[in-house]
PDB file of all heavy atoms in Angstrom:
ATOM      1  N   ILE B 620     -69.063  12.064  35.095  1.00  0.00           N
ATOM      2  CA  ILE B 620     -69.238  10.662  34.707  1.00  0.00           C
ATOM      3  C   ILE B 620     -69.234   9.781  35.951  1.00  0.00           C
ATOM      4  O   ILE B 620     -70.089   8.910  36.120  1.00  0.00           O
ATOM      5  CB  ILE B 620     -68.139  10.214  33.725  1.00  0.00           C
ATOM      6  CG1 ILE B 620     -68.208  11.066  32.444  1.00  0.00           C
ATOM      7  CG2 ILE B 620     -68.293   8.732  33.374  1.00  0.00           C
ATOM      8  CD1 ILE B 620     -67.075  10.799  31.476  1.00  0.00           C
ATOM      9  N   SER B 621     -68.269  10.021  36.848  1.00  0.00           N
ATOM     10  CA  SER B 621     -68.151   9.172  38.034  1.00  0.00           C
ATOM     11  C   SER B 621     -69.327   9.344  38.982  1.00  0.00           C
ATOM     12  O   SER B 621     -69.612   8.437  39.778  1.00  0.00           O
ATOM     13  CB  SER B 621     -66.839   9.461  38.776  1.00  0.00           C
ATOM     14  OG  SER B 621     -66.782  10.811  39.226  1.00  0.00           O
ATOM     15  N   GLU B 622     -70.036  10.490  38.917  1.00  0.00           N
ATOM     16  CA  GLU B 622     -71.193  10.708  39.778  1.00  0.00           C
ATOM     17  C   GLU B 622     -72.425   9.899  39.345  1.00  0.00           C
ATOM     18  O   GLU B 622     -73.347   9.720  40.115  1.00  0.00           O
ATOM     19  CB  GLU B 622     -71.553  12.195  39.818  1.00  0.00           C
ATOM     20  CG  GLU B 622     -70.588  13.060  40.623  1.00  0.00           C
ATOM     21  CD  GLU B 622     -70.938  14.541  40.545  1.00  0.00           C
ATOM     22  OE1 GLU B 622     -71.828  14.907  39.761  1.00  0.00           O
ATOM     23  OE2 GLU B 622     -70.303  15.329  41.261  1.00  0.00           O
ATOM     24  N   ILE B 623     -72.448   9.449  38.100  1.00  0.00           N
ATOM     25  CA  ILE B 623     -73.601   8.697  37.593  1.00  0.00           C
ATOM     26  C   ILE B 623     -73.526   7.261  38.111  1.00  0.00           C
ATOM     27  O   ILE B 623     -72.474   6.607  37.991  1.00  0.00           O
ATOM     28  CB  ILE B 623     -73.610   8.692  36.048  1.00  0.00           C
ATOM     29  CG1 ILE B 623     -73.588  10.123  35.498  1.00  0.00           C
ATOM     30  CG2 ILE B 623     -74.846   7.958  35.529  1.00  0.00           C
ATOM     31  CD1 ILE B 623     -73.325  10.186  33.987  1.00  0.00           C
ATOM     32  N   PRO B 624     -74.606   6.734  38.680  1.00  0.00           N
ATOM     33  CA  PRO B 624     -74.599   5.324  39.104  1.00  0.00           C
ATOM     34  C   PRO B 624     -74.200   4.410  37.955  1.00  0.00           C
ATOM     35  O   PRO B 624     -74.673   4.571  36.823  1.00  0.00           O
ATOM     36  CB  PRO B 624     -76.046   5.082  39.535  1.00  0.00           C
ATOM     37  CG  PRO B 624     -76.537   6.433  39.963  1.00  0.00           C
ATOM     38  CD  PRO B 624     -75.879   7.402  39.031  1.00  0.00           C
ATOM     39  N   ARG B 625     -73.319   3.464  38.257  1.00  0.00           N
ATOM     40  CA  ARG B 625     -72.696   2.636  37.223  1.00  0.00           C
ATOM     41  C   ARG B 625     -73.708   1.889  36.356  1.00  0.00           C
ATOM     42  O   ARG B 625     -73.477   1.668  35.169  1.00  0.00           O
ATOM     43  CB  ARG B 625     -71.732   1.636  37.894  1.00  0.00           C
ATOM     44  CG  ARG B 625     -70.886   0.831  36.916  1.00  0.00           C
ATOM     45  CD  ARG B 625     -69.904   1.724  36.184  1.00  0.00           C
ATOM     46  NE  ARG B 625     -69.182   1.036  35.148  1.00  0.00           N
ATOM     47  CZ  ARG B 625     -69.635   0.810  33.901  1.00  0.00           C
ATOM     48  NH1 ARG B 625     -70.851   1.252  33.564  1.00  0.00           N
ATOM     49  NH2 ARG B 625     -68.901   0.167  33.018  1.00  0.00           N
ATOM     50  N   GLN B 626     -74.846   1.517  36.948  1.00  0.00           N
ATOM     51  CA  GLN B 626     -75.822   0.728  36.191  1.00  0.00           C
ATOM     52  C   GLN B 626     -76.573   1.559  35.160  1.00  0.00           C
ATOM     53  O   GLN B 626     -77.300   1.011  34.319  1.00  0.00           O
ATOM     54  CB  GLN B 626     -76.822   0.071  37.141  1.00  0.00           C
ATOM     55  CG  GLN B 626     -77.788   1.027  37.853  1.00  0.00           C
ATOM     56  CD  GLN B 626     -77.212   1.578  39.149  1.00  0.00           C
ATOM     57  OE1 GLN B 626     -76.000   1.515  39.402  1.00  0.00           O
ATOM     58  NE2 GLN B 626     -78.076   2.120  40.004  1.00  0.00           N
ATOM     59  N   MET B 627     -76.403   2.893  35.187  1.00  0.00           N
ATOM     60  CA  MET B 627     -77.153   3.755  34.278  1.00  0.00           C
ATOM     61  C   MET B 627     -76.483   3.961  32.926  1.00  0.00           C
ATOM     62  O   MET B 627     -77.078   4.547  32.023  1.00  0.00           O
ATOM     63  CB  MET B 627     -77.389   5.133  34.922  1.00  0.00           C
ATOM     64  CG  MET B 627     -78.389   5.111  36.055  1.00  0.00           C
ATOM     65  SD  MET B 627     -78.719   6.804  36.624  1.00  0.00           S
ATOM     66  CE  MET B 627     -79.889   6.475  37.965  1.00  0.00           C
ATOM     67  N   PHE B 628     -75.220   3.536  32.757  1.00  0.00           N
ATOM     68  CA  PHE B 628     -74.558   3.759  31.480  1.00  0.00           C
ATOM     69  C   PHE B 628     -73.624   2.600  31.158  1.00  0.00           C
ATOM     70  O   PHE B 628     -73.264   1.800  32.015  1.00  0.00           O
ATOM     71  CB  PHE B 628     -73.798   5.085  31.466  1.00  0.00           C
ATOM     72  CG  PHE B 628     -72.627   5.162  32.414  1.00  0.00           C
ATOM     73  CD1 PHE B 628     -71.336   4.948  31.984  1.00  0.00           C
ATOM     74  CD2 PHE B 628     -72.823   5.465  33.755  1.00  0.00           C
ATOM     75  CE1 PHE B 628     -70.259   5.029  32.852  1.00  0.00           C
ATOM     76  CE2 PHE B 628     -71.752   5.543  34.641  1.00  0.00           C
ATOM     77  CZ  PHE B 628     -70.462   5.329  34.183  1.00  0.00           C
ATOM     78  N   VAL B 629     -73.239   2.536  29.905  1.00  0.00           N
ATOM     79  CA  VAL B 629     -72.319   1.522  29.409  1.00  0.00           C
ATOM     80  C   VAL B 629     -71.036   2.220  28.981  1.00  0.00           C
ATOM     81  O   VAL B 629     -71.080   3.288  28.364  1.00  0.00           O
ATOM     82  CB  VAL B 629     -72.930   0.754  28.220  1.00  0.00           C
ATOM     83  CG1 VAL B 629     -71.921  -0.235  27.637  1.00  0.00           C
ATOM     84  CG2 VAL B 629     -74.208   0.042  28.640  1.00  0.00           C
ATOM     85  N   THR B 630     -69.892   1.619  29.291  1.00  0.00           N
ATOM     86  CA  THR B 630     -68.603   2.203  28.922  1.00  0.00           C
ATOM     87  C   THR B 630     -67.931   1.380  27.841  1.00  0.00           C
ATOM     88  O   THR B 630     -67.873   0.149  27.926  1.00  0.00           O
ATOM     89  CB  THR B 630     -67.668   2.299  30.144  1.00  0.00           C
ATOM     90  OG1 THR B 630     -68.211   3.234  31.082  1.00  0.00           O
ATOM     91  CG2 THR B 630     -66.281   2.789  29.736  1.00  0.00           C
ATOM     92  N   GLU B 631     -67.446   2.056  26.815  1.00  0.00           N
ATOM     93  CA  GLU B 631     -66.568   1.466  25.808  1.00  0.00           C
ATOM     94  C   GLU B 631     -65.178   2.065  25.986  1.00  0.00           C
ATOM     95  O   GLU B 631     -65.028   3.263  26.196  1.00  0.00           O
ATOM     96  CB  GLU B 631     -67.081   1.740  24.392  1.00  0.00           C
ATOM     97  CG  GLU B 631     -68.331   0.963  24.030  1.00  0.00           C
ATOM     98  CD  GLU B 631     -68.690   1.111  22.561  1.00  0.00           C
ATOM     99  OE1 GLU B 631     -67.828   1.585  21.773  1.00  0.00           O
ATOM    100  OE2 GLU B 631     -69.824   0.765  22.182  1.00  0.00           O
TER     101      GLU B 631
END
Side-chain angles (χ1 to χ4, degrees):
I620 299 174
S621 61
E622 287 176 352
I623 304 169
R625 187 67 186 83
Q626 69 273 17
M627 289 186 181
F628 66 98
V629 176
T630 294
E631 289 188 14

